[in-house]
Amino acid sequence: MKKLLTLSLSSLMLLGAYSCGNNGCDETRETIFYADLRSSYKNRQINSMTVWYRDTLHTTYSNPTSFELVLPPDSGHYEVRIDMTVKDDSLNYQVSDTLGFRYESFPYLINMECGCTVFFSINEVTSTEHFLKDITLINKDITNEEDVNLRIVY
């Protein structure tokens, strides 16, 4: 009888812990913009990169080969300044470029348990070309899949 009571209490505790979780929603990925960084020269690399949005620090990377951004949910224009410390052969120097996106946002129903999220569609990409050599839009749709949206060659 004691075993049965212990087993019943354990089952109830597990059921309670399960029901307090994510309410059946298995979708936990955010909608994130992904950019892939590629060097145009064999001996060139970015040692550090800082991304600024409206003069506020967004994120900092060490030796990046990619970066990601979370866009504001309203449609419009999103512009970031990218400051980089670059090593080219034996030289180290500082460079800055501006990367801009014109995009639309739209609600997306994941399912009844998870509710809605916001997906984006990039209409236009602009950049200064102090250091950035080529910008290629790979996938204009920004979803909660981990797809590369932009390829940047420096």
Side-chain angles (χ1 to χ4, degrees), residues 33-45:
F33 166 87
Y34 291 97
D36 182 35
L37 297 168
R38 296 193 180 181
S39 176
S40 59
Y41 299 104
K42 183 179 178 184
N43 295 329
R44 178 181 287 170
Q45 69 181 40

PDB file of all heavy atoms in Angstrom, residues 33-45:
ATOM      1  N   PHE A  33      17.487  37.394 -37.473  1.00  0.00           N
ATOM      2  CA  PHE A  33      18.177  37.647 -38.732  1.00  0.00           C
ATOM      3  C   PHE A  33      19.604  37.110 -38.605  1.00  0.00           C
ATOM      4  O   PHE A  33      20.296  37.399 -37.633  1.00  0.00           O
ATOM      5  CB  PHE A  33      18.198  39.159 -38.987  1.00  0.00           C
ATOM      6  CG  PHE A  33      19.148  39.584 -40.055  1.00  0.00           C
ATOM      7  CD1 PHE A  33      18.752  39.588 -41.374  1.00  0.00           C
ATOM      8  CD2 PHE A  33      20.439  39.969 -39.732  1.00  0.00           C
ATOM      9  CE1 PHE A  33      19.631  39.990 -42.364  1.00  0.00           C
ATOM     10  CE2 PHE A  33      21.316  40.368 -40.716  1.00  0.00           C
ATOM     11  CZ  PHE A  33      20.913  40.372 -42.037  1.00  0.00           C
ATOM     12  N   TYR A  34      20.040  36.303 -39.577  1.00  0.00           N
ATOM     13  CA  TYR A  34      21.392  35.733 -39.567  1.00  0.00           C
ATOM     14  C   TYR A  34      22.199  36.245 -40.746  1.00  0.00           C
ATOM     15  O   TYR A  34      21.706  36.258 -41.881  1.00  0.00           O
ATOM     16  CB  TYR A  34      21.334  34.202 -39.651  1.00  0.00           C
ATOM     17  CG  TYR A  34      20.788  33.546 -38.418  1.00  0.00           C
ATOM     18  CD1 TYR A  34      19.454  33.177 -38.337  1.00  0.00           C
ATOM     19  CD2 TYR A  34      21.606  33.284 -37.327  1.00  0.00           C
ATOM     20  CE1 TYR A  34      18.944  32.581 -37.208  1.00  0.00           C
ATOM     21  CE2 TYR A  34      21.101  32.690 -36.190  1.00  0.00           C
ATOM     22  CZ  TYR A  34      19.777  32.339 -36.134  1.00  0.00           C
ATOM     23  OH  TYR A  34      19.265  31.750 -35.005  1.00  0.00           O
ATOM     24  N   ALA A  35      23.452  36.653 -40.498  1.00  0.00           N
ATOM     25  CA  ALA A  35      24.367  37.085 -41.552  1.00  0.00           C
ATOM     26  C   ALA A  35      25.649  36.269 -41.467  1.00  0.00           C
ATOM     27  O   ALA A  35      26.176  36.026 -40.385  1.00  0.00           O
ATOM     28  CB  ALA A  35      24.687  38.565 -41.414  1.00  0.00           C
ATOM     29  N   ASP A  36      26.124  35.849 -42.609  1.00  0.00           N
ATOM     30  CA  ASP A  36      27.353  35.077 -42.745  1.00  0.00           C
ATOM     31  C   ASP A  36      28.460  36.016 -43.202  1.00  0.00           C
ATOM     32  O   ASP A  36      28.255  36.801 -44.127  1.00  0.00           O
ATOM     33  CB  ASP A  36      27.093  33.973 -43.785  1.00  0.00           C
ATOM     34  CG  ASP A  36      28.257  33.056 -43.992  1.00  0.00           C
ATOM     35  OD1 ASP A  36      28.975  32.777 -43.008  1.00  0.00           O
ATOM     36  OD2 ASP A  36      28.455  32.593 -45.128  1.00  0.00           O
ATOM     37  N   LEU A  37      29.625  35.970 -42.559  1.00  0.00           N
ATOM     38  CA  LEU A  37      30.756  36.831 -42.903  1.00  0.00           C
ATOM     39  C   LEU A  37      31.842  36.014 -43.591  1.00  0.00           C
ATOM     40  O   LEU A  37      32.228  34.957 -43.085  1.00  0.00           O
ATOM     41  CB  LEU A  37      31.348  37.471 -41.641  1.00  0.00           C
ATOM     42  CG  LEU A  37      30.434  38.393 -40.860  1.00  0.00           C
ATOM     43  CD1 LEU A  37      31.038  38.700 -39.498  1.00  0.00           C
ATOM     44  CD2 LEU A  37      30.208  39.680 -41.634  1.00  0.00           C
ATOM     45  N   ARG A  38      32.341  36.522 -44.727  1.00  0.00           N
ATOM     46  CA  ARG A  38      33.395  35.807 -45.458  1.00  0.00           C
ATOM     47  C   ARG A  38      34.479  36.788 -45.892  1.00  0.00           C
ATOM     48  O   ARG A  38      34.185  37.867 -46.377  1.00  0.00           O
ATOM     49  CB  ARG A  38      32.825  35.125 -46.693  1.00  0.00           C
ATOM     50  CG  ARG A  38      31.834  34.058 -46.309  1.00  0.00           C
ATOM     51  CD  ARG A  38      31.512  33.194 -47.430  1.00  0.00           C
ATOM     52  NE  ARG A  38      30.553  32.188 -46.991  1.00  0.00           N
ATOM     53  CZ  ARG A  38      30.095  31.265 -47.762  1.00  0.00           C
ATOM     54  NH1 ARG A  38      30.486  31.193 -49.015  1.00  0.00           N
ATOM     55  NH2 ARG A  38      29.243  30.379 -47.304  1.00  0.00           N
ATOM     56  N   SER A  39      35.711  36.361 -45.736  1.00  0.00           N
ATOM     57  CA  SER A  39      36.844  37.185 -46.131  1.00  0.00           C
ATOM     58  C   SER A  39      37.114  37.040 -47.621  1.00  0.00           C
ATOM     59  O   SER A  39      37.027  35.953 -48.176  1.00  0.00           O
ATOM     60  CB  SER A  39      38.087  36.772 -45.346  1.00  0.00           C
ATOM     61  OG  SER A  39      39.201  37.498 -45.798  1.00  0.00           O
ATOM     62  N   SER A  40      37.469  38.159 -48.254  1.00  0.00           N
ATOM     63  CA  SER A  40      37.821  38.109 -49.671  1.00  0.00           C
ATOM     64  C   SER A  40      39.322  37.873 -49.863  1.00  0.00           C
ATOM     65  O   SER A  40      39.779  37.659 -50.976  1.00  0.00           O
ATOM     66  CB  SER A  40      37.395  39.397 -50.371  1.00  0.00           C
ATOM     67  OG  SER A  40      38.020  40.512 -49.769  1.00  0.00           O
ATOM     68  N   TYR A  41      40.083  37.926 -48.773  1.00  0.00           N
ATOM     69  CA  TYR A  41      41.524  37.692 -48.821  1.00  0.00           C
ATOM     70  C   TYR A  41      41.906  36.613 -47.821  1.00  0.00           C
ATOM     71  O   TYR A  41      41.358  36.555 -46.719  1.00  0.00           O
ATOM     72  CB  TYR A  41      42.302  38.976 -48.500  1.00  0.00           C
ATOM     73  CG  TYR A  41      42.027  40.089 -49.461  1.00  0.00           C
ATOM     74  CD1 TYR A  41      41.206  41.149 -49.115  1.00  0.00           C
ATOM     75  CD2 TYR A  41      42.588  40.072 -50.733  1.00  0.00           C
ATOM     76  CE1 TYR A  41      40.943  42.170 -50.002  1.00  0.00           C
ATOM     77  CE2 TYR A  41      42.328  41.083 -51.640  1.00  0.00           C
ATOM     78  CZ  TYR A  41      41.506  42.130 -51.258  1.00  0.00           C
ATOM     79  OH  TYR A  41      41.243  43.130 -52.150  1.00  0.00           O
ATOM     80  N   LYS A  42      42.860  35.800 -48.192  1.00  0.00           N
ATOM     81  CA  LYS A  42      43.259  34.655 -47.374  1.00  0.00           C
ATOM     82  C   LYS A  42      43.713  35.060 -45.970  1.00  0.00           C
ATOM     83  O   LYS A  42      43.368  34.419 -44.998  1.00  0.00           O
ATOM     84  CB  LYS A  42      44.368  33.881 -48.088  1.00  0.00           C
ATOM     85  CG  LYS A  42      44.807  32.650 -47.361  1.00  0.00           C
ATOM     86  CD  LYS A  42      45.876  31.908 -48.123  1.00  0.00           C
ATOM     87  CE  LYS A  42      46.315  30.692 -47.331  1.00  0.00           C
ATOM     88  NZ  LYS A  42      47.412  30.001 -47.969  1.00  0.00           N
ATOM     89  N   ASN A  43      44.496  36.122 -45.860  1.00  0.00           N
ATOM     90  CA  ASN A  43      45.089  36.490 -44.570  1.00  0.00           C
ATOM     91  C   ASN A  43      44.332  37.589 -43.830  1.00  0.00           C
ATOM     92  O   ASN A  43      44.871  38.209 -42.931  1.00  0.00           O
ATOM     93  CB  ASN A  43      46.550  36.920 -44.770  1.00  0.00           C
ATOM     94  CG  ASN A  43      47.405  35.767 -45.253  1.00  0.00           C
ATOM     95  OD1 ASN A  43      47.148  34.613 -44.921  1.00  0.00           O
ATOM     96  ND2 ASN A  43      48.406  36.072 -46.052  1.00  0.00           N
ATOM     97  N   ARG A  44      43.092  37.838 -44.208  1.00  0.00           N
ATOM     98  CA  ARG A  44      42.302  38.881 -43.545  1.00  0.00           C
ATOM     99  C   ARG A  44      41.271  38.232 -42.633  1.00  0.00           C
ATOM    100  O   ARG A  44      40.574  37.311 -43.033  1.00  0.00           O
ATOM    101  CB  ARG A  44      41.602  39.745 -44.573  1.00  0.00           C
ATOM    102  CG  ARG A  44      40.730  40.829 -43.934  1.00  0.00           C
ATOM    103  CD  ARG A  44      40.033  41.648 -44.957  1.00  0.00           C
ATOM    104  NE  ARG A  44      41.011  42.534 -45.599  1.00  0.00           N
ATOM    105  CZ  ARG A  44      40.751  43.244 -46.679  1.00  0.00           C
ATOM    106  NH1 ARG A  44      39.584  43.178 -47.253  1.00  0.00           N
ATOM    107  NH2 ARG A  44      41.665  44.029 -47.195  1.00  0.00           N
ATOM    108  N   GLN A  45      41.179  38.752 -41.417  1.00  0.00           N
ATOM    109  CA  GLN A  45      40.146  38.267 -40.499  1.00  0.00           C
ATOM    110  C   GLN A  45      39.679  39.405 -39.610  1.00  0.00           C
ATOM    111  O   GLN A  45      40.401  40.365 -39.381  1.00  0.00           O
ATOM    112  CB  GLN A  45      40.657  37.118 -39.643  1.00  0.00           C
ATOM    113  CG  GLN A  45      41.703  37.509 -38.616  1.00  0.00           C
ATOM    114  CD  GLN A  45      42.188  36.321 -37.813  1.00  0.00           C
ATOM    115  OE1 GLN A  45      42.372  35.242 -38.351  1.00  0.00           O
ATOM    116  NE2 GLN A  45      42.383  36.523 -36.536  1.00  0.00           N
TER     117      GLN A  45
END
